[in-house]
Amino acid sequence: MDDLSKSGSVMARSSIIAIGASAGGVRALCSLASELPGTIGVPVLIVLHVGAQQSVLPALLNAAGPLPAKHAKDGEPLLPDRIYVAPPDRHMVVVDSQLRLSRGPKENCARPAIDPLFRSVAESYGPAAVGVILTGNQNDGTLGLFEIARRGGIAIAQDPDEAAYPDMPRSAAEHVALDYTLRIADMPKLLVHLASGKDGKEKAMPITPFQSDVGQTPELIDSIPFERPVAITCPDCGGALHSSEVGTITKFGCHIGHSYTAETMAIAQFDKMERVMREAFRFLNERAEFCLQMAEQYYPQEPDLSAAWQAASRQALDRAYKLRDLVEQDWITPEVAESRFTQSQGSVSR
C-alpha cells in the first residue's frame, strides 16, 4: 500500500472507492459508471439496497461503462480497475484486502447495508479511503461515512437537490464534515483525481465525545403514572438495545448485531408496533370464528355451553373492531415530521 501520510501540499493517493445508494440508485450508479475510465487504478465497491431480491446491477454497469462489474464473492482479493457489487442479502466488507460476505444482522433494516462496508473500508484503508453517498431514503451510510472522514478519508455526497431521493445525501451533509458535495456529472473527474493523488485533505476529523443528560421526569397519562420500560427492544429480534453517540448521530444496537440510527429506529419501531397490533386484530378475528364454530358444535345438545361460546365469539369480535379502529387512527409521528421539516428548511435555505 502507498504511504498514507499527508503533509503540506502532498496528498495521499486514494486506494479504494466505496459507494452506497438506495432508492433511485440504479440510474445514478449507471450514470456514474458511464463516465469512469477503464483504468482508474483502484477497486470500486458498491452497495445498493436490493434486499434478498435478484440483482442485475453488474450487468447494467457493464453495459454503461468500461469498468468491468461483478457481484462480489466471499474471500476474493481486491483488484484495481474492477467494480464489486454487494450481492443480494449479503453484507459486503473488506478484511485484509479481501472481500468478505455474510448474512449478518441487518443494519438500518437493510442487508446488504452501506454502513458495514464503509466501516470496514475506513478501518482497512484510513486516509486512503473514499466514501460516496448517493440518492436514497432515510440515512444508511451516514455512520460509515463519518468513520471514513474521522480516519482521514475523503467523504463525498451527491447534491441533495439533484438526488431523486435526497434523504441519504442530506443526512450525510448534516452529520459528516463532507469534503465534497456535487452532482453525479462532476463525480467521475473527482474520483479519478483522488485515485491518482491529485486531490485530498490534510488530516482526520477529531473524535468528539458526546453525552446525554435527558431528564426522566415521570409522566402522567390520563392521571395514571407512565411506567417506563426497563429497556427499549430491537424491532428485528426483541433483544435489548443500547444507545451510543457517533459524532452527532445517535445509534442503537442489540447484542445480536442489529443496528439503527435514531431516525431509522423510530420508523422500524412504529412499523413493528403497527404490525403487532394488526396481528392481534387477526388473532381476535380468528378467536371469534373458533368460538362460533364451538358454539355450533355444542348446539343443541348443550345449549348453555353453546351460549357461552357465542358470548366469547361476540366479545372477541367486539374487541377486534375496537383494536382495528385504534390502529387506523392518526398517530403522532415526529420522525416523519422532522424529516419533512429538514427537507423544507433545506429548500428555503437554498
Side-chain angles (χ1 to χ4, degrees):
M1 186 179 296
D2 295 336
D3 182 6
L4 302 184
S5 63
K6 297 179 180 179
S7 59
S9 61
V10 178
M11 300 300 180
R13 178 180 181 274
S14 297
S15 300
I16 193 167
I17 297 170
I19 304 174
S22 186
V26 172
R27 176 174 294 182
L29 289 166
C30 287
S31 177
L32 180 59
S34 68
E35 298 299 325
L36 288 176
T39 54
I40 193 171
V42 300
V44 178
L45 279 55
I46 292 176
V47 169
L48 176 68
H49 287 167
V50 295
Q53 300 178 9
Q54 182 180 2
S55 169
V56 295
L57 181 59
L60 296 175
L61 296 176
N62 281 321
L67 273 179
K70 64 188 292 290
H71 277 130
K73 294 183 179 179
D74 186 49
E76 71 176 309
L78 281 171
L79 298 175
D81 303 327
R82 303 284 192 281
I83 296 177
Y84 298 94
V85 178
D89 203 31
R90 295 292 187 275
H91 291 313
M92 178 175 70
V93 298
V94 178
V95 180
D96 296 328
S97 298
Q98 291 185 336
L99 290 171
R100 301 310 304 264
L101 305 177
S102 76
R103 290 195 74 254
K106 292 182 178 180
E107 298 200 21
N108 289 319
C109 304
R111 189 176 56 227
I114 302 165
D115 279 334
L117 172 63
F118 280 18
R119 285 198 306 267
S120 71
V121 165
E123 182 176 354
S124 297
Y125 290 87
V130 177
V132 183
I133 291 291
L134 302 181
T135 172
N137 286 320
Q138 299 182 33
N139 57 8
D140 185 31
T142 297
L143 283 169
L145 193 65
F146 178 89
E147 284 300 313
I148 289 175
R150 185 179 71 87
R151 292 173 182 261
I154 304 297
I156 303 171
Q158 182 180 4
D159 184 346
D161 288 340
E162 178 199 47
Y165 297 84
D167 286 1
M168 281 178 26
R170 181 173 289 128
S171 173
E174 290 173 355
H175 297 288
V176 181
L178 295 176
D179 296 288
Y180 303 95
T181 302
L182 57 163
R183 301 170 66 85
I184 290 289
D186 299 322
M187 285 188 185
K189 182 179 180 180
L190 172 63
L191 295 178
V192 170
H193 282 181
L194 293 172
S196 62
K198 295 180 180 178
D199 208 341
K201 65 180 182 181
E202 295 298 328
K203 60 183 179 179
M205 291 169 56
I207 300 176
T208 305
F210 284 81
Q211 294 182 344
S212 175
D213 291 319
V214 179
Q216 299 188 8
T217 304
E219 184 177 1
L220 296 179
I221 306 296
D222 294 335
S223 299
I224 301 174
F226 169 58
E227 297 293 339
R228 301 187 66 166
V230 175
I232 299 173
T233 57
C234 174
D236 269 302
C237 69
L241 289 168
H242 65 272
S243 65
S244 59
E245 302 292 333
V246 181
T248 57
I249 310 162
T250 302
K251 177 182 178 181
F252 293 86
C254 71
H255 67 281
I256 295 297
H258 301 113
S259 65
Y260 312 83
T261 58
E263 294 82 357
T264 306
M265 172 62 189
I267 294 170
Q269 186 188 61
F270 184 87
D271 289 345
K272 180 64 177 290
M273 178 196 71
E274 188 176 38
R275 184 165 63 252
V276 169
M277 293 176 72
R278 291 190 182 280
E279 288 176 354
F281 170 68
R282 174 171 61 84
F283 279 120
L284 284 168
N285 265 315
E286 291 176 0
R287 173 169 173 78
E289 174 59 24
F290 172 77
C291 291
L292 185 59
Q293 291 182 14
M294 294 299 293
E296 292 171 347
Q297 177 179 331
Y298 285 107
Y299 183 84
Q301 290 85 357
E302 300 184 49
D304 290 344
L305 188 54
S306 175
W309 280 110
Q310 286 181 347
S313 176
R314 288 193 297 271
Q315 181 191 60
L317 199 60
D318 176 67
R319 293 181 177 179
Y321 287 140
K322 288 179 179 178
L323 181 58
R324 183 192 64 182
D325 292 341
L326 178 63
V327 174
E328 293 180 354
Q329 289 178 8
D330 288 334
W331 291 81
I332 299 172
T333 52
E335 60 274 20
V336 176
E338 181 180 358
S339 175
R340 290 173 179 169
F341 174 78
T342 302
Q343 292 181 20
S344 65
Q345 288 295 99
S347 299
V348 169
S349 65
R350 286 184 287 270

